[in-house]
Amino acid sequence: MTLTALRPTATLDWTAICPLDRLDPDRGVAALVDGVQVALFRTGGELYAVDNLDPVGGAYVMSRGIVGSRKGMPTLASPLHKQVYDLRTGQCLDLPGVALRRHEARCRDGLVEVRLRQEQ
Amino acid sequence: MSGGRLVVVGNGMVGQRFVEALRARDHDRRWRVTVLAEEGRPAYDRVRLSAFFDGVSAEELNLHTPDDGVELRLGEAVRDIDRDRRVVRTAAGEHPYDALVLATGSYAFVPPVDGTDLPGVFVYRTLDDLAAIRAHAEGRRTGAVIGGGLLGLEAANALRLLGLATSVVEFAPRLMPVQVDEAGGAMLRRYVEELGVTPYLGVATSGLRPGPDGTVAALELADGRTVDADLVVVAAGIRPRDELARAAGLPLGPRGGVLVDATCRTADERIWAVGECAAVDGTCHGLVAPGYATAEVVADRLLGGAATFPGADTATKLKLLGVDVASFGDAHGTTPGCLDVTFTDPATRSYARLVLSDDAKTLLGGVLVGDASAYPTLRASVGGPLPAPPLALLAPAGGAGAGAGALPAAAQVCSCNAVTRADIDTAIAGGAVDVPALKACTRAGTSCGSCVPMLKQLLDAAGVQQSRALCEHFELSRQELFDTVRVRGIRTFSQLIAEHGRGRGCDICKPVVASILASLGTGHVLDGEAASLQDTNDHFLANLQRDGSYSVVPRIPGGEITPDKLIVIGEVARDFGLYTKITGGQRIDLFGARVEQLPQIWRRLVDAGFESGHAYGKALRTVKSCVGETWCRYGVQDSVGLAVALELRYRGLRAPHKLKSAVSGCARECAEARSKDFGIIATESGWNLYVGGNGGFRPRHADLFATDLSTEALIQLIDRFLMYYIRTADRLQRTAAWIEAMDGGLDHLRSVIVDDSLGLCAELDAAMARHVASYSDEWRDVLEDPKRLRRFTSFVNAPDVPDPSITFAVERGQPVPARGAAPTPVPDRPHQPVALGLPEVRR
């Protein structure tokens, strides 16, 4: 298996993931969308989707981080070495220049859906 | 010339400070700045270099903060300066300048004796040097340092911490000859010898000799003696890096260094020099404070100011080999007619000397060895009237009545960054009401950190209540939170944060509250909202590893296990393809489990009679034991039996940090009980209890707390010790640090849990009784509950697909994470290195 093979070429469609009530508030789950590992969160009434890959530690663990807030913005802390990210932008608040890739998430008819985003 | 292209050569502490000072004042962006750095990493705190051996990472020492207006080119050394064309040349090309600032620092001087080029001989200058020293020390037994000055003693301490039998060779007749006088040197020598470091004073090193493997093996001294040394550090002073200036035809100082005037300008009006490479009016300064002063001067001058070098402050305070040593002002009493006040106390083993003006009214300087607590106040009073009578200042308690609050406004509080009391008071009045804010606002305490206690005193003097807040979501300390939860009977994080906090919580406060709720017995850690508070380890009841897999540790109380149970562990590991390793706590760790495998693994383990070992929790880990009187010829008590009983009593007890214990069956101490949070050693007539030990990078032996206890009395004391710790310790504070921070220390602890001075004992006993009665195995509880089990899935939408990123290679017949399987795509931004946080001052 090569990791590049997991990267999508492009996905424009929304993929249904799970019922909304399968997401506990402030606790993430991992999902597999077209071979891409996505970390999904429900916090403060919003849904967020980011890459499950920890860009610093290099392991697929972001869905297991602690969700919280910093100065009012929703945050996610890496479970490996605790770097904190802004869930809205993906930017790391502790390491300038490091970011999580973001994806789109929404709820339709009680189902959580994700659309992969190709940034850059 | 008040703008254009500015090239800075060097990104050390002073070079970095210069750039920051310039950028902070260059509001019109008159200068475009390029920094050319020889080292591959941006500026770091060399003053605290030795902290690297205390486990402080290179990232924590980082001083560089990214700045869009500055191009930092790392690993690009300057080859020469073409003054006619006004360019500097590097391997990568040319950089034109309108102004050039040399901040090239210095290099370690290596005396011209044979053998300094042998493998195993190092200097003590960069992080790379320290990493190389650590690597070479591995498996070696002896070390020596050439040079008994400030840096030499720091290096000696590092070698000692690396486990080497260490010697120091100093040419002068005393240690730290520049900073301390003869009597101070003698006191210092006694401390150093007691730590096991052997000083050779008043003798030169004549050569270094290799051993059979070609690496260094011994030092030869000029008097014919030989000193064994498998590793040698040369700390014989520094020399300015002036080769670029020399080649460019710029005048140098009489003892080297780029000659500059009081404006820090060289003979070429476009070229300046700062820091250790600059010979200001002919003299080089090797300390950071005068270096920073030169940086400020040049920053000011380049923006049209008229600053001049104010003169060097050579005051020094350090903790060397655990001994406080300070020297300031005219420490050697060279002022004509000056008076000496000296104070030697063999009991507290402190030595102090104050140098006063001939009328005894003005403090000129001084030396402190052993107890330097009066240093900040004294240092700030140099040149002014004494803040208190000399004896009061030198009293061992540290100048009672002469705290920072007594300082005049002009007194310098932070000499590294030239911050006065008036600056601090202004910042406090402006809203900087805690130490971090004061540091950010004034830079005081951001270099050597020795003035941080004074910052606290000044905050106190200004009437500021200092925050003990856990994080931005709670104003309360952990202890206050614990009491709030306990007294108010709060059962959930939501209720607690709604009533006593703000925001949504974070990775700091959530696990703390989860731990408090668990300590108070509010149900399973994965139930309801509690699940969202847990760190990943507590959330999956297993230990996260670097590749995203987990490890599993079943409890093996006291390290005692039947052959049948051993076979089960072996079979489980084999069937699930797990890597197995015996731990230091006498258990077996199984690595490489994916989240969805954890319940299957535990089904097998629970069926065979195992339970959670809580290796993942801030909780009791293990109670290690030696084999005891049952088998051992020397044993005097049943250490295994007691260890099993203690482990079963305290299993699952959530605490501010992990808890370790051990029981030894006789004074030979094979279980290493004194390295534990609570350790028990058998005596002929009962048990001795030790508390507050730990291993780790700063190993600490536990202190003897009570002797010859019956088993019942022992257990009661441990019950109270643990419960009092759980109630009152800070977040992530081990028992050793908790006792150290306690007012009154061990005696206070004894009065609370033995003499019941606070009337708490009945409550502590009852709390432990509740814990013991309500214990139930977390893993069994998970297996019995489908809702809890649901958390252990790889992907919510593809539960049958295992995480494809977890792959293994085979090493020594066992699976290990396949290296390079996971990418680390940190954005590639050349010359824009990442800031890893401001340096933290560890007290």
Side-chain angles (χ1 to χ4, degrees):
Chain A
M1 177 211 68
T2 64
L3 283 149
T4 43
L6 290 179
R7 293 266 165 235
T9 46
T11 305
L12 299 173
D13 298 334
W14 289 94
T15 305
I17 304 294
C18 63
L20 182 65
D21 62 10
R22 182 68 178 76
L23 281 183
D24 289 337
D26 292 357
R27 189 85 238 181
V29 297
L32 206 50
V33 182
D34 284 354
V36 174
Q37 291 200 28
V38 174
L40 256 179
F41 302 90
R42 174 183 175 191
T43 179
E46 297 285 331
L47 289 172
Y48 297 95
V50 295
D51 252 15
N52 197 27
L53 176 66
D54 180 334
V56 178
Y60 288 78
V61 296
M62 294 309 298
S63 59
R64 306 175 209 156
I66 290 181
V67 175
S69 67
R70 199 183 267 189
K71 298 195 171 73
M73 68 180 98
T75 58
L76 169 65
S78 160
L80 280 172
H81 290 120
K82 317 292 180 206
Q83 297 89 0
V84 173
Y85 296 84
D86 183 341
L87 269 176
R88 299 168 313 183
T89 65
Q91 290 299 320
C92 181
L93 302 176
D94 300 331
L95 296 170
V98 174
L100 292 172
R101 184 194 294 266
R102 290 172 307 148
H103 303 289
E104 292 170 76
R106 69 180 183 190
C107 183
R108 281 290 153 89
D109 304 326
L111 277 183
V112 178
E113 298 178 343
V114 167
R115 182 157 73 176
L116 293 178
R117 182 145 68 181
Q118 290 286 296
E119 288 182 26
Q120 284 143 17
Chain B
M1 182 190 52
S2 57
R5 290 161 299 187
L6 171 63
V7 173
V8 182
V9 185
N11 189 230
M13 295 179 75
V14 174
Q16 175 67 24
R17 166 57 66 91
F18 162 71
V19 171
E20 287 174 17
L22 179 90
R23 293 280 303 152
R25 288 178 230 160
D26 185 9
H27 306 295
D28 308 329
R29 298 200 158 224
R30 284 147 69 178
W31 293 100
R32 293 195 308 284
V33 185
T34 302
V35 179
L36 302 169
E38 187 176 53
E39 277 190 71
R41 62 175 107 231
Y44 55 90
D45 189 349
R46 245 188 260 275
V47 172
R48 291 176 62 238
L49 195 59
S50 295
F52 177 75
F53 288 121
D54 289 338
V56 173
S57 66
E59 288 71 27
E60 287 173 87
L61 294 176
N62 174 61
L63 290 179
H64 179 260
T65 40
D67 177 344
D68 292 338
V70 178
E71 185 186 10
L72 173 59
R73 302 177 71 95
L74 294 173
E76 188 168 343
V78 173
R79 289 180 172 170
D80 56 17
I81 304 167
D82 185 335
R83 288 169 53 197
D84 296 334
R85 291 177 50 226
R86 296 212 306 265
V87 296
V88 298
R89 275 186 285 266
T90 71
E94 293 190 337
H95 298 277
Y97 63 80
D98 295 301
L100 174 65
V101 174
L102 300 174
T104 45
S106 48
Y107 65 93
F109 168 67
V110 178
V113 297
D114 285 345
T116 51
D117 53 350
L118 289 171
V121 181
F122 302 91
V123 297
Y124 202 85
R125 184 83 193 137
T126 64
L127 277 169
D128 291 341
D129 292 333
L130 268 60
I133 289 170
R134 182 157 69 185
H136 188 78
E138 188 83 19
R140 289 190 161 79
R141 291 188 10 255
T142 54
V145 179
I146 300 176
L150 204 145
L151 193 65
L153 291 185
E154 256 195 76
N157 194 40
L159 298 192
R160 197 176 68 88
L161 291 175
L162 291 169
L164 304 182
T166 303
S167 307
V168 174
V169 182
E170 168 57 48
F171 181 67
R174 62 175 183 272
L175 296 167
M176 287 186 72
V178 179
Q179 287 85 9
V180 308
D181 58 3
E182 205 180 310
M187 186 72 78
L188 196 54
R189 176 187 185 144
R190 243 189 292 163
Y191 275 109
V192 165
E193 284 177 334
E194 226 163 79
L195 288 166
V197 173
T198 314
Y200 294 85
L201 303 178
V203 64
T205 305
S206 53
L208 281 66
R209 219 171 49 201
D213 66 350
T215 67
V216 71
L219 293 185
E220 283 162 351
L221 304 185
D223 59 10
R225 283 181 292 176
T226 301
V227 180
D228 287 343
D230 307 324
L231 186 159
V232 173
V233 174
V234 180
I238 55 171
R239 297 288 182 272
R241 293 276 306 265
D242 54 15
E243 65 272 14
L244 284 174
R246 185 192 304 269
L250 290 169
L252 304 181
R255 286 201 247 157
V258 188
L259 186 65
V260 295
D261 59 17
T263 71
C264 297
R265 195 188 325 225
T266 67
D268 182 327
E269 63 166 8
R270 293 184 179 271
I271 305 181
W272 312 72
V274 296
E276 291 175 348
C277 72
V280 187
D281 290 331
T283 306
C284 291
H285 300 286
L287 293 171
V288 73
Y292 282 173
T294 59
E296 299 288 338
V297 169
V298 176
D300 182 69
R301 289 269 167 181
L302 285 176
L303 295 170
T308 55
F309 185 66
D313 178 359
T314 53
T316 320
K317 173 182 176 262
L318 1 110
K319 203 175 191 79
L320 283 170
L321 298 142
V323 188
D324 280 328
V325 179
S327 127
F328 52 94
D330 180 11
H332 294 284
T334 56
T335 309
C338 65
L339 304 172
D340 258 352
V341 179
T342 60
F343 177 89
T344 310
D345 184 351
T348 60
R349 297 201 308 175
S350 53
Y351 165 80
R353 172 190 193 186
L354 294 187
V355 179
L356 307 179
S357 60
D358 53 4
D359 58 0
K361 286 184 176 157
T362 305
L363 181 64
L364 299 175
V367 175
L368 305 168
V369 176
D371 175 5
S373 49
Y375 169 77
T377 310
L378 291 173
R379 156 72 201 72
S381 306
V382 169
L386 285 170
L391 269 182
L393 285 169
L394 294 180
L407 289 174
Q412 213 165 68
V413 172
C414 171
S415 50
C416 296
N417 295 287
V419 184
T420 62
R421 168 163 192 186
D423 297 335
I424 301 284
D425 285 347
T426 307
I428 294 173
V433 291
D434 57 23
V435 171
L438 278 179
K439 283 165 138 181
C441 177
T442 66
R443 311 194 73 139
T446 56
S447 294
C448 78
S450 67
C451 63
V452 169
M454 273 214 289
L455 300 183
K456 290 187 181 148
Q457 288 175 25
L458 289 173
L459 283 164
D460 280 343
V464 176
Q465 283 280 328
Q466 285 175 62
S467 168
R468 289 157 41 76
L470 191 62
C471 63
E472 70 171 59
H473 305 102
F474 287 101
E475 293 292 345
L476 306 176
S477 67
R478 180 190 174 279
Q479 178 180 353
E480 290 162 340
L481 271 179
F482 191 101
D483 288 338
T484 304
V485 172
R486 181 175 62 85
V487 173
R488 303 231 21 251
I490 290 171
R491 310 279 294 182
T492 66
F493 181 80
S494 311
Q495 187 190 350
L496 183 66
I497 201 164
E499 294 176 11
H500 300 277
R502 57 173 171 268
R504 304 189 59 81
C506 66
D507 58 309
I508 294 172
C509 59
K510 282 183 167 181
V512 166
V513 174
S515 161
I516 291 172
L517 291 170
S519 292
L520 288 168
T522 52
H524 197 279
V525 292
L526 294 189
D527 279 354
E529 186 196 273
S532 75
L533 308 177
Q534 310 291 351
D535 248 328
T536 186
N537 282 5
D538 275 305
H539 190 246
F540 288 107
L541 307 174
N543 291 48
L544 178 64
Q545 304 298 325
R546 62 183 313 143
D547 64 341
S549 71
Y550 288 80
S551 84
V552 168
V553 184
R555 184 169 300 289
I556 301 178
E560 187 185 68
I561 185 165
T562 63
D564 284 341
K565 281 182 137 179
L566 265 181
I567 288 168
V568 170
I569 288 183
E571 285 173 346
V572 168
R574 186 194 55 206
D575 295 350
F576 287 89
L578 304 176
Y579 168 94
T580 57
K581 184 157 193 330
I582 312 285
T583 72
Q586 301 184 336
R587 342 202 250 185
I588 299 173
D589 207 340
L590 313 172
F591 291 80
R594 299 187 307 267
V595 283
E596 74 277 11
Q597 291 179 311
L598 291 169
Q600 305 159 30
I601 290 168
W602 273 103
R603 179 83 267 159
R604 297 266 299 269
L605 291 171
V606 166
D607 285 348
F610 285 104
E611 62 181 7
S612 166
H614 292 99
Y616 47 80
K618 304 291 180 229
L620 178 83
R621 296 285 170 85
T622 135
V623 183
K624 189 173 164 178
S625 68
C626 69
V627 78
E629 65 161 359
T630 317
W631 292 90
C632 178
R633 287 178 291 153
Y634 303 109
V636 294
Q637 303 281 353
D638 176 13
S639 49
V640 179
L642 180 67
V644 172
L646 292 177
E647 189 161 337
L648 296 182
R649 183 170 182 81
Y650 303 124
R651 62 188 166 182
L653 182 64
R654 290 295 205 286
H657 210 311
K658 62 187 172 189
L659 282 166
K660 295 184 174 185
S661 178
V663 184
S664 277
C666 80
R668 284 172 185 73
E669 239 286 69
C670 295
E672 297 164 326
R674 292 190 65 201
S675 65
K676 305 300 181 191
D677 293 284
F678 59 103
I680 297 100
I681 300 177
T683 67
E684 294 284 349
S685 48
W687 307 99
N688 285 351
L689 172 61
Y690 293 80
V691 295
N694 53 240
F697 198 88
R698 278 179 191 279
R700 185 185 186 284
H701 269 153
D703 296 312
L704 181 61
F705 189 74
T707 55
D708 285 327
L709 299 162
S710 68
T711 305
E712 294 68 37
L714 172 78
I715 288 175
Q716 185 179 57
L717 271 191
I718 300 173
D719 283 357
R720 292 173 181 175
F721 170 72
L722 293 178
M723 275 301 168
Y724 191 49
Y725 166 65
I726 288 168
R727 284 198 178 188
T728 60
D730 273 340
R731 163 181 178 261
L732 299 184
Q733 188 177 41
R734 288 287 294 268
T735 55
W738 171 65
I739 295 169
E740 270 165 27
M742 200 179 284
D743 267 346
L746 213 55
D747 289 335
H748 174 74
L749 181 63
R750 212 173 263 125
S751 80
V752 173
I753 67 176
V754 179
D755 309 330
D756 201 7
S757 61
L758 300 181
L760 267 181
C761 286
E763 239 180 75
L764 299 176
D765 291 345
M768 188 60 83
R770 275 196 303 277
H771 165 76
V772 173
S774 66
Y775 168 81
S776 109
D777 174 23
E778 280 169 1
W779 260 111
R780 178 185 289 277
D781 297 340
V782 165
L783 296 176
E784 287 169 355
D785 182 344
K787 269 183 77 179
R788 293 170 185 154
L789 275 174
R790 206 175 66 167
R791 302 184 186 282
F792 296 83
T793 37
S794 53
F795 299 105
V796 67
N797 60 341
D800 301 327
V801 180
D803 180 345
S805 75
I806 296 178
T807 55
F808 299 101
V810 173
E811 205 172 278
R812 292 181 295 278
Q814 291 212 74
V816 293
R819 290 278 176 161
T824 50
V826 175
D828 181 26
R829 298 208 308 172
H831 319 309
Q832 283 287 317
V834 152
L836 299 168
L838 286 169
E840 162 205 16
V841 174
R842 287 152 52 112
R843 302 300 311 162

